């Protein structure tokens, strides 16, 4: 059985792989070391350069710094921990919820609202939510209930570790597009998928990005901006785990 130090080492290794993958992606997109450093929250750009050169690893950072890096890059820190690793967050008895890029909070209170959860992923043409029965329902604080139009159960591992398999995400229809934010998109013969959507202005394309660092299994894909505007359904505004 793993002791606490071994458990933290496993968590740190997974977190570091996710951080490095995102930093490498930002560098490939043409961002400078200073810009990346400002986003990640490191002390200076030299640290980012050492990460990219393999001379230094965030895995050796303090717990607080590691959590800061994850949150600044839009990851859900609780997704890296096994159940009960953080009391009250992500365990089987206490669901947690957060806006993408923010620390998770336990779902609690006497004024929780019920939200229907749908699962429309899978082969075949897109299906309108009004035509399918919800899988189940979850409860969330009123503010989260108001910011989303519906919720989806995430099936698959393409967005891990940011959004774990089985998590529930809230989606806002018609939300203003913001580059590199999380969106639900309707892909022909696949249904609704969750991706981080960037923009390649030079090629006039949307880039739909998986978060999983295994790009061979979970490759990114591109579509023309006009086509992309048609398939983007809404923005992911919250993530719930441990429900």
């Amino acid at each position: 059985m793993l002791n606490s130090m071994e458990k933290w080492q496993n968590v740190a290794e997974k977190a570091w792989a996710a951080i490095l993958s995102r930093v490498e992606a930002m560098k490939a997109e043409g961002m400078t070391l200073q810009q990346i450093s400002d986003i990640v929250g490191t002390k200076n750009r030299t640290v980012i350069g050492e990460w990219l050169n393999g001379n230094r690893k965030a895995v050796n950072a303090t717990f607080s710094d590691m959590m800061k890096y994850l949150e600044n890059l839009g990851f859900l820190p609780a997704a890296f921990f096994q159940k009960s690793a953080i009391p009250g967050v992500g365990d089987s008895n206490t669901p947690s919820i957060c806006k993408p890029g923010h620390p998770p909070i336990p779902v609690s209170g006497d004024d929780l609202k019920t939200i229907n959860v749908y699962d429309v992923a899978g082969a075949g043409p897109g299906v309108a939510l009004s035509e399918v029965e919800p899988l189940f329902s979850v409860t969330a604080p009123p503010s989260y209930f108001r910011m989303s139009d519906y919720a989806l159960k995430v099936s698959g591992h393409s967005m891990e570790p940011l959004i774990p398999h089985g998590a529930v995400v809230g989606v806002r229809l018609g939300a203003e597009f913001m580059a590199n934010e999380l969106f639900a998109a309707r892909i022909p013969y696949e249904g609704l998928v969750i991706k981080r959507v960037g923009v390649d202005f030079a090629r006039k394309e949307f880039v739909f990005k998986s978060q999983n660092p295994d790009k061979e299994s979970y490759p990114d894909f591109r579509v023309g901006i006009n086509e992309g505007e048609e398939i983007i359904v809404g923005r992911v505004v919250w993530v719930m785990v441990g429900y």
Side-chain angles (χ1 to χ4, degrees):
M1 192 167 182
L2 296 178
N3 58 37
S4 58
M5 182 59 70
E6 290 172 326
K7 288 181 178 179
W8 164 243
Q9 187 66 27
N10 289 341
V11 169
E13 290 288 352
K14 292 178 181 178
W16 163 241
I19 291 169
L20 182 59
S21 174
R22 183 69 186 116
V23 166
E24 289 175 336
M26 288 190 289
K27 188 67 171 65
E29 291 169 3
M31 297 181 67
T32 66
L33 296 184
Q34 187 60 57
Q35 289 173 325
I36 298 173
S37 177
D38 292 341
I39 293 173
V40 176
T42 55
K43 294 181 179 180
N44 55 64
R45 64 185 182 183
T46 303
V47 173
I48 301 298
E50 291 180 342
W51 289 358
L52 292 170
N53 292 331
N55 296 326
R56 186 171 181 175
K57 293 185 177 182
V59 69
N60 298 319
T62 64
F63 179 85
S64 60
D65 281 345
M66 182 73 81
M67 295 302 100
K68 178 181 69 174
Y69 299 155
L70 291 171
E71 291 167 7
N72 289 346
L73 290 171
F75 291 107
L76 183 66
F80 293 86
F81 291 82
Q82 296 178 353
K83 292 182 177 181
S84 301
I86 305 177
V89 176
D91 62 39
S92 58
N93 298 317
T94 309
S96 63
I97 192 169
C98 71
K99 299 176 184 178
H102 289 71
I105 61 172
V107 176
S108 61
D110 299 325
D111 59 346
L112 299 178
K113 300 291 185 179
T114 299
I115 301 174
N116 286 334
V117 179
Y118 297 87
D119 183 3
V120 293
V127 178
L129 292 181
S130 60
E131 300 174 2
V132 298
E133 293 294 324
L135 286 174
F136 53 88
S137 61
V138 295
T139 56
S143 60
Y144 288 87
F145 174 82
R146 290 191 295 268
M147 72 173 65
S148 58
D149 293 299
Y150 61 84
L152 294 173
K153 180 182 178 183
V154 177
S155 179
H157 305 277
S158 69
M159 294 306 289
E160 291 183 344
L162 174 63
I163 303 178
H165 169 67
V168 169
V169 298
V171 177
R172 183 70 174 181
L173 298 174
E176 179 182 1
F177 179 79
M178 299 177 65
N180 293 315
E181 293 293 326
L182 301 173
F183 287 88
R186 192 181 300 283
I187 308 301
Y189 302 101
E190 290 188 31
L192 283 173
V193 298
I194 307 299
K195 298 292 180 183
R196 189 179 296 281
V197 183
V199 181
D200 185 334
F201 291 102
R203 298 174 58 176
K204 297 182 180 180
E205 293 177 332
F206 281 125
V207 185
F208 290 78
K209 309 172 186 177
S210 297
Q211 203 72 38
N212 195 310
D214 182 1
K215 292 301 182 181
E216 183 174 346
S217 299
Y218 304 100
D220 301 338
F221 65 92
R222 294 167 172 261
V223 299
I225 287 180
N226 291 337
E227 181 184 353
E229 290 176 343
E230 295 178 357
I231 67 175
I232 292 176
V233 175
R235 183 152 56 91
V236 174
V237 291
W238 52 258
V239 180
M240 179 184 291
V241 297
Y243 54 87

